[in-house]
Amino acid sequence: MFDPVALPFIFATLMGVSILLYVVLDGFDLGVGLLFPFAEEDERDRMIASIGPFWDANETWLVLAIGLLLVAFPVAHGDILTALYLPVAVMLIGLILRGVAFEFRAKAPLGHKRPWDVAFWAGSLMTALSQGFMLGMYVMGLEWTWPKVGFALLTAGALAVAYSFIGAGWVILKTDGALQRKAVGWAKGGIWGIVLGMGAVSAATPLVSQRIFDKWFSFPEVALLAPLPLVSGGLVVALWYALRRLPADGDRFAWFPFVGATALMVLGFCGMAYSFYPYIVPEKLTIWEAASSTEALSIILVGTLFVLPVIMGYTVLAYFIFRGKATKLSYD
Amino acid sequence: MDTLLLSRIQFAANISFHILFPTITIALGWVLLFFKMRFARTRERKWMDLYMFWVKVFALSFALGVVSGITMSFQFGTNWPGFMETVGNIAGPLLAYEVLTAFFLEAVFLGIMLFGASRVPGWLHTMATFLVAFGTTMSAFWILVLNSWMHTPAGYELVDGVVVATDWWAIIFNPSLPYRLAHMLLASGLTVAFLIAGLSAYRWLRGDRAPAVATGLRVGVMLGAVLIPIQILAGDMHGLNTLEHQPQKVAAMEGNWETQGNVPLLLFALPDEAARENRFEIGIPSLASIILKHDPAGVVPGLNDFVAEDGTAMHPPVAPVFWSFRVMVGIGMAMLVVAWAGVFLMWRRGADALPRPYLWGLTGMSFAGWGATLAGWYTTEIGRQPWLVQGVLTVEQAVGDIAAGMVLSTLIAYLAVYAVLMAAYIGVIFHLARRGGVLYEPVASPGMQPVTSAGIHPAE
């Protein structure tokens, strides 16, 4: 048995880490899908090759995150998912389309490849937009009124562009030559998505809730938290500066757009986590009110502490095996 | 239609579509490992050709299984919030263990298994193949633990209307788990056996005489012939277990209204729930009593024992359970006949001289396993109604408060997507089978060549 007060906090942290890993990892492969219309056919093959060995495991972080919500906070799970019924359905159909298009485009008769490419793009777009929409609705307290839905539509667009930015960063990292140069252009076009998205959420969150406003803008918090927006701003400037000079000789700094985008997402996530803590359903239900029994959480935690390092280990192994520039995908 | 019925149809549609693909991948993972090890042992090219062909089917099926499975995990919350709120303390840890011990394992090593053959040593690739097969089987184990617990709950107590675990050993190894797990794993094996035999027969009929085709035929038919008698035995034991724990389900399967002895085994009947009797009964006298009680006079419980005092039926709808059961048994019997006829024909004439009508029959039965699996699941799941968790929670108590129109719109969207994907899946499988013989390229990968190369050891 673990401490009944600590357990919900541990699970909220685990769930947060899963969501963050999902947003970064599936973010880049969703982004690659979003960039499909801007690429030629042979470029699309190479982009697919760069995410082929990873996408399935990346999506598993979403299953873990939703699984942790389901098992650790069953009451919140019902509240959040019934409120987000439609966007969840759109996301699921999007995930289905892109997941299967991935396989079908390589195995279907030659003439069918293009429709499956369109399905891959459409599925990625549905997934990205609905996730951004859910993010906005969550920030707005899960209430379906027009101004709030309008805000959610804004974050939907912003997250999709942000995903395409980190996707372009991935392509810069994993390819070379003409495609890499093209991806630098895509990244330049997509960086505003991250700025707009993070800016909108940062501006709106304190306005929606007095509690969150006080958390950020009372002294000394405001001074302690200042590095968060300052570092984010600095990163955006550095990214913009780097993108104007990439690709560099000897492929130096090809990793920077992807790592920079990841760092921005981590910072944005930390800010949001700070705002909403200790609530899991915004302003309604805290993690302690929504948590499962101590006994059930204990039994999951034992397994998690044992298994999670192993999962991390073989995930790193997979990224190590498929390191370097992406080559043509083959089963041989 | 109301939200409850629409939510049930939606869940049924999602889970029916989903289960088709794990049914293939659970057993196909092990068959791929078998092909790979046969190749390592014999260095015969045909084993690698079989691996290369079926790994594509595996990848496609796996992707469909993953994405339709993600849908399932969200449906619990979107449509059935009462489920986790009531039994979350038990269902939660079981689902968590499935994600932690199975999903990540199979997802990560699938990448290495599919695309890593030229990047990792042979032993690591074989290991990845093993871990993917192991992961899919673990996944089946955990989800069947939960499903079995919903049929035969054990090791819990109710505190303020919420289920609390008292004995995890009893929860995991609940009374119906061993039978359900064995029945499902065998169903997966049979589905794959008939898929391999059917597609190989199809290739043979199209004039593809690659050595891998005849070997595939032999592997498929032999696997089917070995598994089907075991499956019939396992199914019988599962039925007896159900009789003990969910007698109302068996009563519906047999179409038996009154508790009595000498119950006939009905071959045909139209159960009429309004009149509480069967019409147009054709049956074999006393056979149901003999099967269920091993005695012609054995007393078998009837449906009329499961009616509440106010007249509400506390047993499942009879006709769907009655007929799903017969479809499952019928396909099983057809499998028995076809598989053993195949063994006989191969013994007399060889795998390369099978008569064409037989090969067409096998082709037609390529997806017979799907039919039997779905019919079997309908029998057991509809047979649990009106309960979601037997004796603890009804489906009506668990359904979420969503507008019926909203559920209807998502249901239509899912059905449309599933219809397109089903057509595409079967189309691509047969397309692969047609192409399998034509694109006959040399295997060009380090670590997998027919000659002994670094990293491959014959003893693998």
Side-chain angles (χ1 to χ4, degrees):
Chain A
M1 280 292 175
F2 295 87
D3 178 23
V5 179
L7 269 174
F9 181 77
I10 295 170
F11 274 89
T13 310
L14 282 174
M15 193 173 79
V17 169
S18 303
I19 294 174
L20 182 59
L21 279 169
Y22 172 77
V23 169
V24 170
L25 295 176
D26 212 30
F28 80 68
D29 64 52
L30 281 166
V32 166
L34 292 170
L35 293 167
F36 250 40
F38 306 108
E40 306 298 325
E41 177 163 347
D42 58 323
E43 292 171 341
R44 288 200 291 266
D45 287 347
R46 211 156 163 224
M47 286 156 73
I48 283 279
S50 77
I51 57 175
F54 310 115
W55 75 269
D56 187 0
N58 292 347
E59 249 170 43
T60 308
W61 291 104
L62 176 67
V63 180
L64 182 65
I66 200 68
L68 285 173
L69 177 64
L70 180 91
V71 305
F73 308 104
V75 185
H77 177 254
D79 271 14
I80 295 172
L81 290 184
T82 44
L84 297 174
Y85 187 87
L86 274 187
V88 165
V90 172
M91 175 185 77
L92 292 174
I93 289 174
L95 285 172
I96 291 174
L97 280 182
R98 69 186 297 275
V100 301
F102 202 98
E103 293 291 332
F104 276 125
R105 76 186 289 282
K107 297 178 180 67
L110 278 178
H112 295 182
K113 192 170 174 184
R114 224 187 130 64
W116 286 117
D117 277 352
V118 173
F120 187 69
W121 168 76
S124 303
L125 186 66
M126 284 164 74
T127 307
L129 287 176
S130 53
Q131 286 175 358
F133 186 85
M134 288 189 265
L135 171 71
M137 289 305 284
Y138 185 84
V139 168
M140 288 288 140
L142 301 170
E143 282 169 28
W144 288 78
T145 58
W146 278 115
K148 295 185 173 183
V149 170
F151 176 80
L153 289 173
L154 175 75
T155 52
L159 188 70
V161 181
Y163 278 166
S164 72
F165 177 74
I166 194 169
W170 181 254
V171 177
I172 294 170
L173 173 65
K174 296 295 278 186
T175 66
D176 46 22
L179 178 56
Q180 192 188 36
R181 281 195 294 280
K182 227 173 173 176
V184 171
W186 296 334
K188 279 188 208 160
I191 195 166
W192 62 267
I194 285 206
V195 177
L196 179 68
M198 285 178 73
V201 172
S202 309
T205 320
L207 296 179
V208 172
S209 150
Q210 185 65 40
R211 184 187 63 83
I212 295 176
F213 187 92
D214 293 342
K215 260 183 118 171
W216 282 86
F217 296 105
S218 53
F219 199 81
E221 282 83 353
V222 69
L224 293 172
L225 292 167
L228 219 52
L230 290 179
V231 171
S232 304
L235 263 173
V236 171
V237 173
L239 277 170
W240 180 247
Y241 184 80
L243 285 173
R244 289 175 56 190
R245 277 158 186 74
L246 282 173
D249 292 336
D251 209 34
R252 283 180 303 127
F253 293 103
W255 52 269
F256 184 65
F258 179 72
V259 173
T262 304
L264 276 175
M265 286 184 169
V266 173
L267 289 168
F269 187 85
C270 290
M272 269 198 71
Y274 175 75
S275 295
F276 285 97
Y277 179 81
Y279 286 93
I280 185 150
V281 181
E283 312 301 309
K284 283 200 194 99
L285 215 54
T286 68
I287 55 175
W288 287 279
E289 289 161 351
S292 290
S293 75
T294 304
E295 195 271 338
L297 290 179
S298 300
I299 207 142
I300 306 171
L301 188 61
V302 173
T304 311
L305 293 180
F306 185 72
V307 179
L308 211 55
V310 181
I311 293 176
M312 293 286 191
Y314 58 62
T315 304
V316 170
L317 174 73
Y319 277 87
F320 178 76
I321 288 172
F322 296 101
R323 69 191 177 281
K325 300 293 179 188
T327 47
K328 200 169 158 25
L329 268 196
S330 126
Y331 284 175
D332 297 339
Chain B
M1 283 196 274
D2 62 353
T3 302
L4 174 62
L5 185 59
L6 285 166
S7 297
R8 281 180 61 195
I9 295 173
Q10 176 164 306
F11 200 83
N14 284 327
I15 205 158
S16 299
F17 183 74
H18 171 68
I19 192 62
L20 300 176
F21 303 103
T23 305
I24 288 179
T25 52
I26 292 165
L28 190 52
W30 295 108
V31 172
L32 285 172
L33 186 65
F34 169 75
F35 288 157
K36 198 156 191 287
M37 292 172 76
R38 288 300 297 162
F39 174 70
R41 179 67 59 88
T42 64
R43 299 276 136 194
E44 283 181 75
R45 169 70 178 281
K46 63 180 185 183
W47 294 111
M48 188 42 62
D49 289 343
L50 276 168
Y51 177 88
M52 283 306 192
F53 178 81
W54 286 100
V55 80
K56 296 184 180 80
V57 176
F58 184 87
L60 190 61
S61 314
F62 196 92
L64 279 151
V66 167
V67 293
S68 57
I70 294 177
T71 313
M72 306 304 316
S73 63
F74 278 87
Q75 295 258 316
F76 289 137
T78 52
N79 296 76
W80 305 98
F83 177 67
M84 287 312 281
E85 279 161 24
T86 313
V87 301
N89 288 325
I90 284 175
L94 296 179
L95 288 169
Y97 272 84
E98 183 182 14
V99 178
L100 290 170
T101 62
F103 285 174
F104 277 106
L105 195 69
E106 48 186 14
V108 171
F109 284 99
L110 181 74
I112 299 173
M113 171 183 163
L114 292 184
F115 307 118
S118 59
R119 285 176 177 253
V120 299
W123 65 266
L124 183 53
H125 188 258
T126 305
M127 177 81 150
T129 312
F130 165 77
L131 286 172
V132 170
F134 178 74
T136 51
T137 308
M138 280 304 285
S139 171
F141 171 78
W142 287 114
I143 205 69
L144 285 174
V145 167
L146 175 54
N147 181 273
S148 298
W149 186 83
M150 288 158 65
H151 285 272
T152 54
Y156 71 100
E157 60 184 11
L158 271 170
V159 180
D160 302 327
V162 173
V163 165
V164 178
T166 54
D167 179 356
W168 278 100
W169 190 259
I171 290 167
I172 294 175
F173 297 97
N174 64 74
S176 64
L177 171 78
Y179 306 97
R180 199 179 310 277
L181 181 63
H183 204 38
M184 181 60 205
L185 294 182
L186 287 163
S188 174
L190 282 163
T191 302
V192 168
F194 276 84
L195 185 61
I196 293 177
L199 284 196
S200 302
Y202 177 69
R203 286 174 69 177
W204 187 272
L205 285 167
R206 289 184 54 90
D208 186 346
R209 293 291 178 270
V213 177
T215 306
L217 256 175
R218 197 156 48 229
V219 170
V221 170
M222 294 296 278
L223 186 61
V226 170
L227 293 183
I228 187 72
I230 307 176
Q231 177 69 314
I232 291 171
L233 183 69
D236 180 57
M237 289 168 71
H238 191 17
L240 293 178
N241 177 264
T242 308
L243 178 66
E244 189 182 336
H245 296 278
Q246 295 172 298
Q248 75 281 19
K249 187 193 290 182
V250 175
M253 283 155 67
E254 301 295 349
N256 182 35
W257 297 93
E258 287 298 338
T259 301
Q260 56 190 339
N262 297 95
V263 175
L265 181 77
L266 299 180
L267 300 175
F268 184 92
L270 295 180
D272 181 346
E273 252 180 87
R276 302 197 72 77
E277 61 175 26
N278 296 329
R279 285 194 245 155
F280 310 109
E281 258 185 35
I282 304 169
I284 303 169
S286 300
L287 191 55
S289 285
I290 293 174
I291 292 173
L292 292 166
K293 295 287 180 184
H294 305 294
D295 172 9
V299 175
V300 176
L303 290 158
N304 289 340
D305 285 7
F306 301 93
V307 178
E309 292 199 349
D310 62 354
T312 3
M314 291 308 280
H315 60 71
V318 183
V321 177
F322 181 86
W323 279 109
S324 316
F325 179 63
R326 268 147 196 77
V327 169
M328 176 189 76
V329 171
I331 296 176
M333 291 302 150
M335 285 178 157
L336 182 70
V337 171
V338 169
W340 281 96
V343 171
F344 178 77
L345 288 167
M346 282 182 186
W347 172 55
R348 296 303 293 263
R349 310 171 58 158
D352 48 4
L354 294 173
R356 289 181 75 83
Y358 179 74
L359 290 171
W360 278 116
L362 275 184
T363 308
M365 285 187 75
S366 299
F367 290 98
W370 276 5
T373 304
L374 280 183
W377 276 110
Y378 290 160
T379 307
T380 198
E381 296 296 296
I382 300 174
R384 192 188 48 206
Q385 304 299 323
W387 298 106
L388 181 54
V389 177
Q390 177 78 37
V392 176
L393 180 73
T394 64
V395 287
E396 197 173 355
Q397 290 166 334
V399 74
D401 183 21
I402 314 259
M406 200 124 91
V407 184
L408 182 65
S409 58
T410 55
L411 172 61
I412 291 169
Y414 283 125
L415 287 178
V417 171
Y418 291 159
V420 171
L421 292 183
M422 188 50 68
Y425 177 82
I426 293 176
V428 166
I429 296 269
F430 278 96
H431 169 73
L432 281 175
R434 284 192 296 274
R435 212 177 58 176
V438 185
L439 294 184
Y440 204 59
E441 291 169 359
V443 181
S445 74
M448 276 213 188
Q449 279 158 354
V451 289
T452 313
S453 60
I456 283 241
H457 307 288
E460 265 179 335

